[in-house]
Structures are given as structure tokens and as C-alpha cells.
Amino acid sequence: MHYAFDAWMQRHFPQCLFARYADDAVVHCRSEAHAQEVMHAIASRLAECGLQMHPEKSKIVYCKDRSRNQAYPNVTFTFLGFLFRPRRVLTKFGRLSTSFLPGVSPAALQRMRQAVRRWRLPRQTSGSLVDLAEQCNPTIRGWWNYYGAFYRTAMHGLGRYLDRKLVRWAQRKYKTLRRHTRRSEEWLHKMKKAYPRQFVHWQLQGASVG
């Protein structure tokens, strides 16, 4: 793909910034007309190399934000596990505004939840909470370091999912908490306040339980 795409783009469209990983690429254009021109040229180039542009994934996206506020059908795209879309942000003056930013994609969040489900945390009652943290933290840290690099609040859903698994673990671990979800949530809240650095996601999103 380096010669079929990268070098060709640099020769024919040097004004277009682009990023590529394997066979996925994002190309930045000045206008919709410019994007149509570049997209048609890329499709022709790929055909010359015996390749084909993906008919569903390939699309023109309007990067809508506070200064680009027109109505277009496509205002989101996914790249490398991140969903790029308009997001509400606070400006340096403390005002709400809109920026076009990446955040962890729903598909990536689903894969992480599936991984957590495979850990079977509620069944690991022979160990302590410290044991669970030592087991989970390396993977959680890796997820947060990658997907939390942009718009970290998009990762909070995973933190809440992990906490729900820990609540179920506590219910199985301690007889006094069995069949008492609210009491188990209160117990976890106390643990988070007493040991806020126990789990990586506790450190990064505060001590709220939900």
C-alpha cells in the first residue's frame, strides 16, 4: 500500500493530509467537491493496482463543529477503534461548544466488555479485592492508555461495567451482601473512597459508583 497509495497521494494530492493503517485510510479535503474528486481518483488508482475501494466503509464525512455547522448526512466515521464525531466540550472560557473529536468506538467498548465477561470476576471469590486488581489492572491500563488518549469520558461506560462486576463479586464473596445490591454498591463505594488507586479505572474517573 505504500507505493499503491501513500507515494501516489504525495505525488498527486500533496495538499491533502492523510493517515493510513494497513488498508484503512482517512484523507482530509478542503471541500465536498474536492473530496469527491479525490475519492474518485483514489478508486481509479486502486483499480489500476488490482484493488477495490470498500463500497460501504468508503464515504465522505463532514467534520461538523462549532465553525462547520451545516447539515450533512454523514458526520461520523470510525478509524483504529475510535469513533470520530461532533462532541460537546468546554472551552477555555468555561462555555459549552462543539468539536469534532475521536473517542472510543461502540464496537471497541463491546469487545472490552466481552473480555471482562470472559474473566468471570463474580466467580473468583477465593481471592481478595487486591488479587482481582492485580489480575485486571494491566489490561485495564492498556485499554485506558490507548482508548483514553482522546475524550476520556467515552471510556466511563467501561468503568461502570467493571464496577457492576465487582458489585456482583462482593455479593458472592460476603454472605451479608447476598441479595442486597444497594448494600453491595455502598460497600464498593467505601472501598473506592478508602483505596482510590486500587483499580486503574478508579484512579482515572473518580470515586462514583453507577
Side-chain angles (χ1 to χ4, degrees), residues 167-174 177-181 184:
V167 165
R168 290 180 57 194
W169 173 85
Q171 288 178 287
R172 283 174 172 265
K173 175 78 171 177
Y174 304 110
L177 298 180
R178 288 177 187 173
R179 295 186 295 277
H180 294 286
T181 301
S184 301

Side-chain angles (χ1 to χ4, degrees), residues 47-61:
E48 291 174 1
C49 299
L51 303 170
Q52 183 181 13
M53 184 178 287
H54 197 288
E56 296 176 1
K57 291 175 61 178
S58 303
K59 59 183 179 180
I60 295 173
V61 174

Side-chain angles (χ1 to χ4, degrees), residues 35-170:
Q36 292 282 6
E37 175 194 352
V38 173
M39 191 171 183
H40 179 75
I42 291 174
S44 298
R45 170 59 177 173
L46 293 177
E48 291 174 1
C49 299
L51 303 170
Q52 183 181 13
M53 184 178 287
H54 197 288
E56 296 176 1
K57 291 175 61 178
S58 303
K59 59 183 179 180
I60 295 173
V61 174
Y62 183 63
C63 300
K64 190 172 184 177
D65 60 16
R66 61 182 171 271
S67 59
R68 292 184 290 259
N69 52 19
Q70 298 181 45
Y72 277 82
N74 294 324
V75 293
T76 69
F77 69 90
T78 302
F79 185 61
L80 300 182
F82 291 95
L83 176 66
F84 291 72
R85 67 172 179 83
R87 299 179 188 272
R88 300 294 282 171
V89 296
L90 277 176
T91 68
K92 62 181 179 180
F93 304 107
R95 298 172 183 171
L96 276 176
S97 186
T98 302
S99 289
F100 195 82
L101 296 171
V104 60
S105 71
L109 277 173
Q110 180 62 20
R111 288 193 296 271
M112 286 184 275
R113 285 194 294 265
Q114 289 172 347
V116 172
R117 196 153 47 240
R118 288 193 296 270
W119 293 348
R120 296 174 175 252
L121 295 181
R123 297 182 178 275
Q124 300 190 38
T125 54
S126 60
S128 66
L129 193 64
V130 173
D131 295 330
L132 286 185
E134 290 178 352
Q135 171 189 324
C136 301
N137 275 342
T139 301
I140 298 173
R141 183 176 293 107
W143 288 338
W144 242 272
N145 285 344
Y146 181 74
Y147 292 109
F150 306 99
Y151 209 78
R152 182 168 286 179
T153 54
M155 286 287 286
H156 287 184
L158 177 66
R160 290 190 292 270
Y161 184 77
L162 284 161
D163 282 351
R164 288 197 294 272
K165 292 296 183 182
L166 293 175
V167 165
R168 290 180 57 194
W169 173 85

